[in-house]
Amino acid sequence: MDIKKFSALAGVSTATVSRAFSGNGRIKEATRERIFKLAEKHGYVPNIHAQRLNARRSEIIAVYYSFSSAPIFDYYNMELAQEIAKAAGARGYTTNLELTQRTDEPSAGLQRAATGGGLDGIILVADSRESAQAFVKRFKRLPVVVVANHDWVLPEAAALVRIHQASGIREAVAEMKAAGHTRIGFIHGMADEGKHRAFLEALRANQLDDVGAPTARGPLSFEDGERAIAELLSQNVSAVLCSTDILALGAMSGATKRGLRIPEDLSIVGIDNLAFSAFTSPPLASVGIPRTEIALTAVEALHQLVQDETAAPGAPSRQLIHTVHTRFISRRSLGAAPNG
Amino acid sequence: MDIKKFSALAGVSTATVSRAFSGNGRIKEATRERIFKLAEKHGYVPNIHAQRLNARRSEIIAVYYSFSSAPIFDYYNMELAQEIAKAAGARGYTTNLELTQRTDEPSAGLQRAATGGGLDGIILVADSRESAQAFVKRFKRLPVVVVANHDWVLPEAAALVRIHQASGIREAVAEMKAAGHTRIGFIHGMADEGKHRAFLEALRANQLDDVGAPTARGPLSFEDGERAIAELLSQNVSAVLCSTDILALGAMSGATKRGLRIPEDLSIVGIDNLAFSAFTSPPLASVGIPRTEIALTAVEALHQLVQDETAAPGAPSRQLIHTVHTRFISRRSLGAAPNG
DNA sequence: CTGAAAGCGCTTACAG
DNA sequence: CTGAAAGCGCTTACAG
């Protein structure tokens, strides 16, 4: 049943049917109602592709993750994707779940949709400036919002949502200091120079030794965390900040295996505040990322770009920059220093 | 740049350009190459909505979760959605990430897409027969694959992927028995009658008391697990099977808080085998769900339905039923019974 | 308020 | 192998 058959059946023109469904143009309330009733009865629904073809708009966005090396679609990113999908849905957009094996090579589906009008825009979650830049360049014509760590400057991006990791990290280090820790280690994640820099700054701000701060590489998995903590323990740390909660959980596990109690013998703090981090044993103190705020901000920014593009196609617009702040979440894995 | 401008520019008809891109119809290799070069140069890409309008096909599917009460889009479902998106991508489909607040009311976007031709099909992950039936009825015209627990019969569903929870649960109980456990408790999740029944059967199969087996309700969160384990501990269990890993983690946490060591004093086993369950402390023994197999099977089945529908629209086809088996994954949270 | 008709950007029988 | 033309199912100026 297409609009032609249906309009004949309803005894009106296709134009009238179209107006009834789109809400555009004047139409008598009575006719509209009659059309709706009939549509319901005969199961007529406008074809969405014909509408999109006309509108040159799809109401679909994609969330894409661009990483500097291995692709990670881990819990953190899943939770963020969820929030974005929710915020996008509230704005009338459908969200594509994009997963890809190669970080430097968007999937064929994404490519196709993005260049062929199948996507109104993309929210790019990127962990390195280079990959974000490459991505933005590749999809020059499409509205792209980049969600990024704080200290990036990305002139090419039309919109930028920056996560100010430093605020939460500063709070975390202050808490550690307050708990009597003076020798604090750091476990690296992927492409986390920003976090590490913020950590060093926080040490200085708290009159702690930043030059001699013990460091170990993750970068990614629970096992990486287990391995890394072993390294750090030989360097006599009493507390460790980890670049991600996953690494922190690995670190807790590794320390426990070595017979240490957390937090009595060793304090561990993560970054990300995953949903389950509140429920590990002990519960993991972590730097909380405001996912909902990030999602809302990114979707609003994208919507703005889409609107602007509609209003004045091709017109250069001012870069939108938003910054969201992180906050330390205190939990039992951070305790008093052993002999403080 | 549309096909008209571009074909003029290339000095051929729109038909030829179309054939170059679609791969349908004969076309001289040389012309095709020339067209590709030119398209690359001028940035011409066929409009995807026009193509879909013609094809009456979108190459988009949705994964939808239908739950008997509160909506849950937890780690388990996220991991499954990932696998489905991956399998779908390999088949050329894009996957929509559907999240909804009301379980009985698909989102407006899903509704619209599903009925307006925006979706080729839906993979429905359902935890109750009723909700699955209602869903299938609602989207009568659309290919729907239902991913469900084992013992469902769902005549309305065109395709069914059944997760045979009983096989893994049987193995789990056998292992507990082998470890000397004779009094095994169960923590309920949501809509998990199937799992519970399998548990009772497994007890009987192992000559254990199924009538007196202590039981507590979850149903959902870590906290639920913490609460439930407290109930069970007063009933003198030495091992507990939990309906989900999340509940199991809560149970471990609750038991630990009460001063019990796992597995020395109490053994805990989950169901789902989440990615992080291998890394909790102690690592959580669990019934593994073959997510990749489920995803592949579901996508293949859906693809099959789509193909059938294309070949013979409206023709009733045989119901596709696949069963995938679960398996017990042994880890440290299951140990010898205290005084066995 | 409603309709006839052109147009959105492709594809595909049908001819050649 | 290639082209002219009708068609996919809507929308929207333009008239009335």
Side-chain angles (χ1 to χ4, degrees), chain A residues 4-14 16-17 31 34-35 38:
Chain A
K4 229 157 154 185
K5 279 205 197 87
F6 177 69
S7 57
L9 194 149
V12 296
S13 71
T14 61
T16 300
V17 171
T31 8
R34 204 163 56 72
I35 288 176
L38 234 55

Side-chain angles (χ1 to χ4, degrees), chain A residues 114-126:
Chain A
T115 52
L119 246 34
D120 284 357
I122 300 179
I123 293 178
L124 176 71
V125 181

Side-chain angles (χ1 to χ4, degrees), chain B residues 49 57 80 92 101 125 133 154 226 237 287 308 321 323:
Chain B
H49 298 127
R57 190 118 277 146
L80 183 55
Q101 297 307 321
V125 181
Q133 276 168 331
L154 216 60
E226 292 196 324
V237 297
V287 172
D308 291 355
I321 300 192
T323 303

Side-chain angles (χ1 to χ4, degrees), chain A residues 61-77:
Chain A
I61 67 168
V63 185
Y64 190 80
Y65 291 85
S66 162
F67 295 107
S68 48
S69 63
I72 329 169
F73 192 66
D74 58 14
Y75 290 131
Y76 170 71
N77 290 307

